[in-house]
């Protein structure tokens, strides 16, 4: 319990916003995995990553999800790797023996633990695309860190890849916050005309900053990231862009001027 609690807390991760980086990394690995198989089979494939949020009135829960149309997971992968802390499928001999020429980001098998910095409940809906890209049986994995249990179920409908959902019960903020468009505002401060960034609730900080965080990482990723807001009518696509090297105004720094040199170089994603 002590080790698990450490892996779920900010003592290890430092910042709750890391959860979006970890979710993004998992999706990138899954997409590149499927792309490697698609290229091998000469099948066209366009990677897709979607972050979305919505409020479920039936269960009184806020659900924030990260979906990708990547490779997905089998029951074997879930039981052998996902449910074993510190064991990554991508560093296993099982994966290496497939010889896909892929260099995944995931190394430690700890990323999923970052989710529990912000919520006690997560759900993973996934469907694996095998070596021939034929879909296997879809699965649902529910994890409750508070009760420390995992439920693995069969899904009745197909899913394209994997969707990991962070589930927030209404009791976490009932009578304190309300859902408004794409984020949570503190009701009293909103009614008083104060800008929502002045409120320092954990959940508010999470939802106010997620788009900014994804913009930050998007410059390193060649897969467009789609953000869907709660009303299901608006979405934003964060497209890859060139890495911007800051311009140094060396002439304003006497200590730099004497030793100033300029180097011009070109680079691309490869």
């Amino acid at each position: 319990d002590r080790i698990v609690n450490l892996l779920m807390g900010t003592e290890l991760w430092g910042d709750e916003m890391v959860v979006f980086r970890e979710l993004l990394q998992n999706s990138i690995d899954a997409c590149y995995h499927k792309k490697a198989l698609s290229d091998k089979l000469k099948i066209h494939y366009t990677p897709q990553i979607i972050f979305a949020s919505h409020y479920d009135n039936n269960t009184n829960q806020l659900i924030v999800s990260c979906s990708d149309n990547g490779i997905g997971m089998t029951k074997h992968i879930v039981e052998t790797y996902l449910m074993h802390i510190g064991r990554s499928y991508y560093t296993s001999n099982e994966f290496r023996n497939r010889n896909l020429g892929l260099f995944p980001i995931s190394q430690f098998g700890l990323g999923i633990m970052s989710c529990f910095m912000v919520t006690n409940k997560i759900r993973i809906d996934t469907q694996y695309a095998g070596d021939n890209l034929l879909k296997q049986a879809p699965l649902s994995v529910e994890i409750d860190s508070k009760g420390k249990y995992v439920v693995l179920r069969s899904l009745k409908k197909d899913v394209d890849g994997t969707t990991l959902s962070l589930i927030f019960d209404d009791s976490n903020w009932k009578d304190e916050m309300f859902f408004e468009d794409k984020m949570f505002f503190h009701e009293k401060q909103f009614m008083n005309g104060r800008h929502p960034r002045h409120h320092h609730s954990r959940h508010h900080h999470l939802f106010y900053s997620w788009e900014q965080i994804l913009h930050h990482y998007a410059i390193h990723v060649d897969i467009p990231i789609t953000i869907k807001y709660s009303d299901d009518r608006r979405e934003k696509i964060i497209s890859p862009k060139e890495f911007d090297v800051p311009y140094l105004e060396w002439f304003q720094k006497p200590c730099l001027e004497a030793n100033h040199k300029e180097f011009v170089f070109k680079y691309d994603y490869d």
Side-chain angles (χ1 to χ4, degrees):
D1 283 352
R2 287 174 58 195
I3 293 173
V4 170
N5 289 334
L6 173 66
L7 296 177
M8 290 178 179
T10 54
E11 291 87 352
L12 172 67
W13 301 98
D15 185 355
E16 291 173 341
M17 300 310 296
V18 164
V19 66
F20 292 109
R21 182 193 69 191
E22 296 299 319
L23 294 178
L24 181 59
Q25 287 180 169
N26 290 341
S27 290
I28 291 169
D29 282 343
C31 287
Y32 284 158
H33 190 171
K34 188 171 182 179
K35 187 176 188 308
L37 281 175
S38 300
D39 291 346
K40 193 174 182 179
L41 298 170
K42 294 180 169 54
I43 297 174
H44 177 72
Y45 164 68
T46 302
Q48 186 178 50
I49 298 174
I50 300 172
F51 283 81
S53 67
H54 75 276
Y55 193 81
D56 189 331
N57 291 313
N58 295 322
T59 61
N60 289 327
Q61 291 175 325
L62 170 73
I63 299 173
V64 178
S65 63
C66 173
S67 303
D68 63 70
N69 63 345
I71 197 68
M73 290 183 288
T74 63
K75 184 172 182 287
H76 166 70
I77 291 175
V78 169
E79 292 179 339
T80 307
Y81 300 102
L82 182 69
M83 292 298 98
H84 284 257
I85 298 171
R87 183 181 293 179
S88 171
Y89 170 64
Y90 288 115
T91 60
S92 67
N93 290 330
E94 182 178 351
F95 174 75
R96 291 194 187 102
N97 291 338
R98 304 187 70 185
N99 295 318
L100 294 174
L102 190 64
F103 300 95
I105 304 170
S106 177
Q107 296 292 321
F108 305 109
L110 296 176
I112 193 172
M113 303 302 292
S114 67
C115 298
F116 299 113
M117 287 191 294
V118 296
T119 183
N120 291 325
K121 298 179 183 179
I122 67 173
R123 172 174 170 160
I124 305 169
D125 294 340
T126 187
Q127 188 168 16
Y128 185 74
D131 287 346
N132 53 4
L133 293 184
L134 293 178
K135 290 186 174 182
Q136 299 187 15
L139 300 168
S140 172
V141 186
E142 297 175 21
I143 308 174
D144 186 325
S145 69
K146 192 172 183 180
K148 292 187 172 62
Y149 68 80
V150 178
V151 178
L152 182 62
R153 294 189 175 97
S154 296
L155 274 179
K156 295 182 179 179
K157 62 178 181 179
D158 286 345
V159 294
D160 190 10
T162 300
T163 296
L164 189 150
S165 300
L166 307 172
I167 301 172
F168 301 89
D169 288 325
D170 184 65
S171 58
N172 286 341
W173 48 65
K174 192 173 183 179
D175 300 325
E176 179 188 355
M177 304 177 111
F178 67 94
F179 197 65
E180 174 69 22
D181 195 14
K182 64 177 179 179
M183 67 187 77
F184 277 85
F185 296 114
H186 188 270
E187 186 169 9
K188 292 180 181 178
Q189 292 183 343
F190 182 76
M191 295 301 290
N192 291 336
R194 295 176 61 186
H195 197 283
R197 75 167 67 233
H198 295 151
H199 178 56
H200 297 294
S201 161
R202 317 172 47 229
H203 296 109
H204 172 80
H205 174 64
L206 184 76
F207 297 110
Y208 185 80
S209 304
W210 72 329
E211 184 179 323
Q212 180 183 356
I213 293 294
L214 293 174
H215 269 284
H216 172 73
Y217 289 116
I219 64 172
H220 305 289
V221 181
D222 57 357
I223 301 174
I225 302 169
T226 301
I227 298 179
K228 290 188 176 181
Y229 296 121
S230 58
D231 54 15
D232 291 328
R233 293 189 297 271
R234 295 195 306 139
E235 65 179 43
K236 180 175 290 187
I237 297 178
I238 305 174
S239 299
K241 59 183 179 180
E242 289 186 9
F243 185 78
D244 185 23
V245 180
Y247 176 68
L248 178 64
E249 295 182 339
W250 56 269
F251 50 87
Q252 294 183 359
K253 308 284 185 182
C255 59
L256 294 179
E257 187 172 2
N259 299 300
H260 175 73
K261 293 181 181 178
E262 288 190 1
F263 299 88
V264 179
F265 59 95
K266 293 183 179 180
Y267 57 91
D268 56 31
Y269 282 105
D270 292 335

